[in-house]
Structure formats: C-alpha cells, structure tokens
Amino acid sequence: MSVGFIGAGQLAHALVKGFTSAGVIATQRIIASSPDTDLPTVAGLRKMGAILTTSNKEVVNKSDVLFLAVKPHIIPFVLDEIGPDIEDRHLIVSCAAGVTISSIEKKLLQYRPFPKVMRCMTNTPVVVREGATVYATGTHAEVEDGKLLEQLMASVGFCTEVEEDLIDAVTGLSGSGPAYAFTALDALADGGVKMGLPRRLAVRLGAQALLGAAKMLLDSELHPGQLKDNVCSPGGATIHALHVMESGGFRSLLINAVEASCIRTRELQFLADQERISPAAIKKTTLDKVLQAVSKVVSQIAPYSPPPQ
Amino acid sequence: MDSNLRIGFIGAGNMAYGIAKGVMQSGDVPPSNVKVSAPSARNFGRFQELGVAVTHSNAELVSSCDLVFVAVKPHLITTILSEITDHVTRKHIIVSVAAGVTLATLQGLLPFDTVVLRLMPNLPCLVQQGALLFSRGTWARQEDGDLLRSLLQHCGLVEEGPEAWIDIHTGLSGSGVAFVYLFAEALAEGAVKMGMPSALAHSIAAQTVLGAGQLLRDSGKHPAQLRSEVCTPGGTTIFGLHAMEQGGVRAATMTAVETATERARELGRKSVPTATENRK
C-alpha cells in the first residue's frame, strides 16, 4: 500500500514523521507533492526518505491512500486538477478544516461515479505519535476504508470515527488544542521564571506537569474535578492558585476559545462552499504556482480574478 | 446512652428549639428529661408543645441537668456563664452554641476543669437538616464528643474538628445557607425574566436546590461529576453553565466563603473579654 500527500507542509510532515516512527508504512512508499520546493517541511520529508515531486498527478498515480494536506481554499483547485486521475482503488482523505465531504464528492463526481472520500481532523502532535484524530466516512467509502484509515491514524495517536457534523467542534477542541497548551506552557514558564527558575528548567517542568496531568486523567476513571481536588490540600498553595485562576475567568476563557475556533471553522467552511476566496487569505506566490500547475493540465480554468466585493 | 441523661437549654431561641427537636427525635431522650430556661416566657410555647419543662432560673437548670446547651447570643455569654459557674460541677458537660466565642473564653469563665464543647450549627437545624461542627475543649474527652454526636445525629450532619475549623464552617455552612438563598432568588428571577410567574418560579427554585442538594449528598459523587452528567452535548445546561463561568460565579463563591471565614476569625478575636475578673 502506498500513501500520497498532496501538499508537503506542516501537516504532511507531521503525519509522515509519525507514520514512519510507528513503522506502519515504509518511507519509500510515501510520496508528497508541493509547488514550492523551498519549504523546510519539504526538506524534512526528503530527509525522512519520502519521494518528493512537484506533480500532483504523480502523487495520485503512485498512491492508494491519498491525503489532501493543503489549505482549505486550495482544495477545489486540487480536486479539479486530479479528478481525471482518480481510480477505483483510491481512498481520498481530506484533512482540510471546514471542507465538507459533500463538497469534495460533488467535485469528484464530475470525473468518477463512486469516489471514496473520507474527512479527518487531526492535530500536530501526530508528529510525536500523540495525535488526536477523528474521521467521518463519505458516501462511497466502505467499512474497510474506515478501518484502514483508523489503523494508519491510530499508529500516531488516538483515532475514532465521528459523525461529520461534529468535526468543527473537534477542530475547536483538539485541532486548536495544542496551541492553547503551548500558550499555557509559555505562560507557566514565565511564572516559573518570575519566581526564580531558569527558563529551560521552567519550560521542561511546565511541559512535564501538563503531560503528567493529561496522562493521569486518561488513565483514570475519575472526573478531572476530582483529580483537581486530590491535588489541593486544605489551605495549601494549590487551592490559593486555583482561586486566582477562577477569579481570572480561566474556565470561561477556555470555553470561549473552543467556541471561537469552532465558529471560525464553520465560517471558513461557509466561505469555502461558496468558493469565495479572500485575497488576503492566500499567499500570492503559492496561489500563482498552484494556478500555473493547474493551468498546465486543465487549460479551461478561467484566470484568477478577485471575487466581487 | 444513659436514658436518665438530662438535657438543658439556656436560651429558648431558634437554635435551641431546632437542637431540642433533633435531640428528642430518636426517642433516646424523653421530653421529661429536657428543660429550657429563658428570662421571659415568650418563646416557651413551642417547647411546651414538645413536652419540655421550662424555667426562668439558669442556676436551677444547670443544677438539674447533666448536659447543658448554652444557646444565647454571644454578647450575653459572660453574664450567663458568670451566673451559672458556681453550679457547674465536674459531672457537667457544657456545650456552647455562641458564634465567635472561643473555647478559651468559655473555659475561662467556668470552673477549672469543666468539660466544654463548642458547637457551630446552622439554620436548617430547624428542619433537622443542619450541618453541625463541634470542637472539644481541653477537658472534654472522646466519649463526651461521642455523646454529643449521638445526641445531635437527628439534627443533620454532625462532624467533629479542631477549633480552627469552626470559623471555616461558619463561612461555608453558617453563612453558606444565605449564599444558597441568594442563588435560589437569582434562579427564580431568571425564570421570571423569561416569563414565569414569581410564586411558581420561587417554589420551583427551592425544590431545585433541595433536590440537587439531596442528590449530591446521597449519590456520593463529586459535584463536578454530577454537573457533567446533566450536560448533554450542545444542550441547554452547558450553555447556561458557560454563562455562569463567564460571570465568575466560582471565584465569587470562593471569595464569599473566604470573606465570611475571615470575619468569623476577626469576631472571635474581638470576642468576649477574658473574664478572669469575673471568676469567683
């Protein structure tokens, strides 16, 4: 079985790193495409032994499981380009936030009667095999396809199937979650430094504290509220600190953050569905290169013009 | 328990009444073994309805009882204890219910090795759903604590602790009752805002608090667990809870308990002047 990636950015890099470290697939059986060969992630992928190419078509031809690992607004262009090359064997897995299965199927149905599409939302810690992944199954994907994807993604962390309408919430929680954690860790380290710790030690201890706490929770039947209580001795340091956190609205901030990320994901999905792309959202060079590649293959695509304001 | 144990109450107010009712609930102490004293007969009625004997003499009450609850307002403690100290013997057990009056103060006003305990009840003792914390004085032995605990078991939850916890108990549960009333009122007002008639809203709010409290007490589950169990994904409760978190209700509640506790400590420090000059 070969795995292909359209797009060789952070996501592809993280997944390949995880897959190869898990030994779930040999690196020679991984191929990735990117219009921009200067990306550090491209170099990283090459170093891991994956095949790199600028041709999306080549990736399609040389893979069975095909990950779409490009930014959401690029997806429609990519689908138009690779549509004709999709075969029955292909399992298309989109990792693009906010891009619905139905929008992908709609595009591909122009080229193939029963495109096998799945949608997944993962997160960056797949790179250290502690990812959190959910996937939803498209109209023509079989049970075995789900099992296959689950096997791949379970090698790099937690993976479970969900109904597609939950994916936005997952994005808000575990998709963006590592960013919340990094922010928290940065601040915790600052706290440590303020109280006299050297920075490196502060970072190390903060990260270990969160890692350990997460592991305790995952291994325990107890509610996190109960675990919290177990740490707070009466009148002690921790309960004082917790009060400070409550006073700062810590909990509601986190709820707000998950909500904001989820809502933004839905907004992006809405924009994508209309195929309206804000010019600011695209790095001009990347879009130029994508369009060049696309126009070489499908000469009927209209030249890019800014959407009506 | 000794069925001849005679229980007395100095003071005939709400606390005395609630405790008296609880004490007699089990049937271990017949009303004929219970007496109450107060300067006026104003509050005797409901005690007499229970079959309890009444008197105007604190001294007489102490002489004729084994365990005496001193249930007067804090500012009256010095006067009352000075009045009865000559009638207190080593066989007596004195239980003070006066808020903010320390064991040291109480012991200072009574004969040297008197068995003294300090009890902090709360308002729902009136309906046998109190939360009571007691602390043993220097000469109160384990069995004196056990006796008090068994007497009070029908008043509600009874626990023993070091004296330092009594102020915390005051903040948590003494004042805590008022915090719950505030919350219940706000629940009802929210409902009124949304269109429910006030009387109904208040009645439902009260039952909601009661029901939730009973479930919390009896399920043995952590409140966070129970809270999670009520929250269906994307449902009404989680939306409402978010609003509460945004309002900082948790922090405010923690601060309320903290503030009330600190005030109890302050009042305890300021309390009754040490009455060495009052000792006879």
Side-chain angles (χ1 to χ4, degrees), chain A residues 221-226 228-229 239-240 242-243 246-249 251-252 255-256 259, chain B residues 222-228 238-239 241-242 245-248 250-252 254-255 258:
Chain A
E221 306 266 294
L222 296 175
H223 192 281
Q226 179 67 64
K228 162 184 59 78
D229 281 4
I239 189 69
H240 272 71
L242 272 178
H243 192 186
E246 294 290 1
S247 300
R251 288 177 189 255
S252 77
I255 298 173
N256 293 346
E259 187 176 43
Chain B
H222 194 281
Q225 178 70 44
L226 287 167
R227 170 177 52 84
S228 295
I238 191 70
F239 270 69
L241 273 174
H242 189 187
E245 297 286 7
Q246 283 170 316
R250 283 182 190 258
M254 285 178 80
T255 308
E258 184 175 350

Side-chain angles (χ1 to χ4, degrees), chain A residues 169-193:
Chain A
V170 173
T171 310
L173 173 57
S174 58
S176 301
Y180 313 153
F182 292 138
T183 308
L185 286 167
D186 201 9
L188 285 170
D190 278 345
V193 168

Side-chain angles (χ1 to χ4, degrees), chain A:
Chain A
M1 181 193 64
S2 297
V3 174
F5 289 85
I6 308 277
Q10 298 286 350
L11 180 60
H13 182 260
L15 283 173
V16 172
K17 186 132 192 255
F19 291 156
T20 52
S21 139
V24 74
I25 181 150
T27 39
Q28 316 90 286
R29 307 203 132 254
I30 301 180
I31 178 166
S33 63
S34 170
D36 183 350
T37 47
D38 285 336
L39 293 172
T41 48
V42 170
L45 282 164
R46 210 175 264 133
K47 215 188 276 184
M48 286 189 268
I51 305 165
L52 265 300
T53 172
T54 49
S55 163
N56 290 341
K57 196 185 166 77
E58 192 185 341
V59 169
V60 175
N61 291 337
K62 290 187 178 164
S63 62
D64 307 302
V65 178
L66 182 66
F67 282 94
L68 302 181
V70 293
K71 292 269 190 296
H73 44 267
I74 305 287
I75 294 278
F77 298 102
V78 166
L79 292 175
D80 276 329
E81 186 196 338
I82 65 174
D85 296 300
I86 303 290
E87 312 261 324
D88 281 342
R89 74 175 191 280
H90 282 110
L91 174 60
I92 319 277
V93 182
S94 164
C95 304
V99 178
T100 59
I101 290 175
S102 73
S103 71
I104 298 172
E105 286 177 346
K106 201 166 102 179
K107 276 263 182 219
L108 292 178
L109 281 167
Q110 296 168 43
Y111 306 99
R112 253 209 120 61
F114 307 117
K116 291 196 290 186
V117 178
M118 307 196 69
R119 176 182 173 187
C120 86
M121 168 51 56
T122 183
N123 66 356
T124 53
V126 288
V127 73
V128 292
R129 299 178 60 197
E130 287 292 354
T133 308
V134 302
Y135 68 92
T137 313
T139 321
H140 312 289
E142 313 277 333
V143 172
E144 308 91 70
D145 299 316
K147 293 268 172 282
L148 176 60
L149 180 63
E150 195 163 324
Q151 218 180 332
L152 267 175
M153 299 312 289
S155 75
V156 292
F158 171 74
C159 181
T160 191
E161 184 175 5
V162 296
E163 292 299 315
E164 192 179 7
D165 61 358
L166 294 183
I167 293 194
D168 295 332
V170 173
T171 310
L173 173 57
S174 58
S176 301
Y180 313 153
F182 292 138
T183 308
L185 286 167
D186 201 9
L188 285 170
D190 278 345
V193 168
K194 178 175 178 182
M195 302 320 289
L197 296 177
R199 170 69 57 174
R200 280 186 63 142
L201 180 60
V203 172
R204 188 75 185 74
L205 292 173
Q208 189 65 34
L210 289 200
L211 174 65
K215 200 151 201 311
M216 276 179 75
L217 179 56
L218 289 173
D219 283 354
S220 163
E221 306 266 294
L222 296 175
H223 192 281
Q226 179 67 64
L227 288 168
K228 162 184 59 78
D229 281 4
N230 294 349
V231 185
C232 291
S233 42
T238 311
I239 189 69
H240 272 71
L242 272 178
H243 192 186
V244 168
M245 283 176 61
E246 294 290 1
S247 300
F250 185 66
R251 288 177 189 255
S252 77
L253 266 184
L254 290 172
I255 298 173
N256 293 346
V258 173
E259 187 176 43
S261 173
C262 176
I263 288 176
R264 181 58 179 165
T265 304
R266 291 181 187 151
E267 265 173 29
L268 292 172
Q269 173 181 311
F270 179 69
L271 293 173
D273 280 349
Q274 304 188 306
E275 297 193 32
R276 292 168 72 82
I277 306 157
S278 120
I282 306 178
K283 280 190 247 179
K284 188 143 194 327
T285 49
T286 306
L287 181 59
D288 284 347
K289 284 191 180 159
V290 168
L291 288 173
Q292 269 170 41
V294 166
S295 65
K296 274 185 204 150
V297 177
V298 185
S299 51
Q300 283 143 324
I301 287 207
Y304 175 69
S305 54
Q309 292 305 315

Side-chain angles (χ1 to χ4, degrees), chain B residues 21-37:
Chain B
K21 266 185 80 174
V23 164
M24 291 185 288
Q25 189 103 336
S26 61
D28 287 337
V29 180
S32 48
N33 282 4
V34 180
K35 193 180 285 192
V36 61
S37 72

Side-chain angles (χ1 to χ4, degrees), chain B residues 30 44 143 277:
Chain B
F44 282 161
E143 53 262 38
E277 63 269 20

Side-chain angles (χ1 to χ4, degrees), chain B residues 9 21 26 28 33 49 56 77 83 100 116-117 122 141-142 149 163 184 187 194 204 220 236 238 252 258 264 278:
Chain B
F9 291 84
K21 266 185 80 174
S26 61
D28 287 337
N33 282 4
E49 267 169 45
H56 291 299
I77 284 286
E83 199 185 313
V116 180
L117 298 99
N122 71 351
R141 302 146 298 173
Q142 180 71 44
R149 192 196 293 267
E163 193 174 16
L187 281 175
M194 301 318 294
I204 293 177
T236 64
I238 191 70
E258 184 175 350
N278 286 328

Side-chain angles (χ1 to χ4, degrees), chain B residues 173-188:
Chain B
S173 178
S175 303
V177 170
F179 308 157
V180 174
Y181 291 149
L182 184 151
F183 183 70
E185 190 182 353
L187 281 175

